[in-house]
Amino acid sequence: MGIQLNPYLMSTDAKGQANFYVEALGGEILTLKTYGETPGTPEAIKDKVMHLAVKVAGSNMLMMSDTLEQTPVNTSISLALTYDNEEEAKEIYAKLGEGGEFKHPFEKQVWGEYYGDLVDKYGVTWMVTAP
């Protein structure tokens, strides 16, 4: 079966957030549609992102849109990244954490892998690991 699971993030600045992830993780914005592309859209939301697809960290896909109302930060979901080597993972951990909050330092854990987690400046929790 050709099934794929893609996180869909609601954002107060989807375009800025996607650009931050492209810069931190590598990748590219594949699709960006604004509400203004739909006939009859109110002027106040015409520049808001209706749908955005961004490929990051290899071939991983995130989808996003701007919120039209205040939404609470959801702390029950984390995005996990696993890298092949410690140095690359450590670099990504630092980049994703810029302007955010480092929760657990990236260091070797008792189970033998390197691990750290953080909340980025957009409120998304990331877990970064490496062997």
Side-chain angles (χ1 to χ4, degrees):
M1 293 171 65
I3 297 174
Q4 198 171 358
L5 176 66
N6 297 312
Y8 204 108
L9 306 175
M10 304 307 292
S11 179
T12 56
D13 179 14
K15 188 174 180 183
Q17 189 171 354
N19 283 322
F20 174 73
Y21 295 152
V22 166
E23 183 69 30
L25 301 169
E28 64 179 315
I29 294 174
L30 302 175
T31 305
L32 192 153
K33 301 289 183 190
T34 65
Y35 284 97
E37 295 176 54
T38 303
T41 297
E43 190 68 24
I45 65 167
K46 71 175 187 143
D47 293 331
K48 295 263 186 195
V49 173
M50 183 170 53
H51 177 73
L52 184 151
V54 59
K55 183 171 67 168
V56 294
S59 61
N60 297 288
M61 186 75 70
L62 293 174
M63 295 182 187
M64 309 170 80
S65 66
D66 284 326
T67 59
L68 299 180
E69 56 190 47
Q70 187 64 26
T71 55
V73 173
N74 185 342
T75 59
S76 66
I77 296 174
S78 298
L79 300 180
L81 291 168
T82 302
Y83 285 86
D84 292 334
N85 68 70
E86 173 198 353
E87 285 307 311
E88 186 177 15
K90 189 175 186 176
E91 180 182 335
I92 293 302
Y93 174 83
K95 286 181 179 180
L96 281 173
E98 289 176 11
E101 179 185 359
F102 295 101
K103 301 299 262 182
H104 295 99
F106 186 81
E107 58 191 15
K108 192 161 191 169
Q109 303 297 317
V110 295
W111 62 84
E113 290 188 341
Y114 288 88
Y115 170 86
D117 62 50
L118 60 100
V119 178
D120 72 25
K121 65 183 178 181
Y122 294 97
V124 175
T125 300
W126 294 87
M127 300 185 308
V128 182
T129 61

